[in-house]
Amino acid sequence: MPTQDKTRRLPPQTISQDIDSLHGLQTINTYNTSRADASEANLQTAYQAMLTQQQAETEKLALYRAAADAARLAEWEFHNAVLAMKEVVRGQYGSDSNEAQAVGLKKKSERKRPSRKKPVMTAS
């Protein structure tokens, strides 16, 4: 049997088939094994542990998504506040002031003037 790569998740279909197999085992009244890892008690314990960990994962994933949404909204609020501040600085001090440059705006006098395009000559 090849070695198991436990760093990857099992496909949901495999988990579903395993659960079906466990439920099928519960219909066999004469099942008895000397292997501790294949005992019905061990299977039930592993199944309950899996359900508990899946529930914990789902709860933490919901908390993560809520925290990510809150952070995204806070980032937008901050960005909009900075844009408003830049508008106020431009209006209060002018677009060619050192204050406007201090908050990250380009001075109007330092902007590159549009260049005049030369007409394209076509050969006839």
Side-chain angles (χ1 to χ4, degrees), residues 10-104:
L10 287 170
Q13 182 180 4
T14 302
I15 300 292
S16 180
Q17 289 171 349
D18 290 345
I19 293 170
D20 290 344
S21 296
L22 175 64
H23 293 310
L25 175 67
Q26 292 170 343
T27 65
I28 303 173
N29 296 331
T30 58
Y31 179 76
N32 192 7
T33 183
S34 59
R35 287 184 60 175
D37 60 335
S39 71
E40 193 169 352
N42 187 55
L43 288 165
Q44 283 296 332
T45 302
Y47 178 62
Q48 289 303 320
M50 179 190 72
L51 291 177
T52 301
Q53 292 301 321
Q54 285 177 337
Q55 180 180 355
E57 177 188 28
T58 301
E59 291 169 357
K60 289 176 182 174
L61 191 56
L63 290 173
Y64 164 77
R65 287 181 180 151
D69 286 346
R72 180 180 41 80
L73 291 174
E75 290 167 356
W76 274 105
E77 288 293 324
F78 174 70
H79 178 68
N80 288 332
V82 168
L83 291 178
M85 174 269 302
K86 286 181 178 182
E87 286 180 24
V88 169
V89 168
R90 186 180 294 132
Q92 198 170 10
Y93 299 101
S95 57
D96 199 33
S97 66
N98 290 333
E99 290 82 1
Q101 188 177 27
V103 296

Side-chain angles (χ1 to χ4, degrees), residues 116-122:
R116 188 178 257 189
K117 293 190 176 189
K118 295 181 181 179
V120 178
M121 307 266 296
T122 57

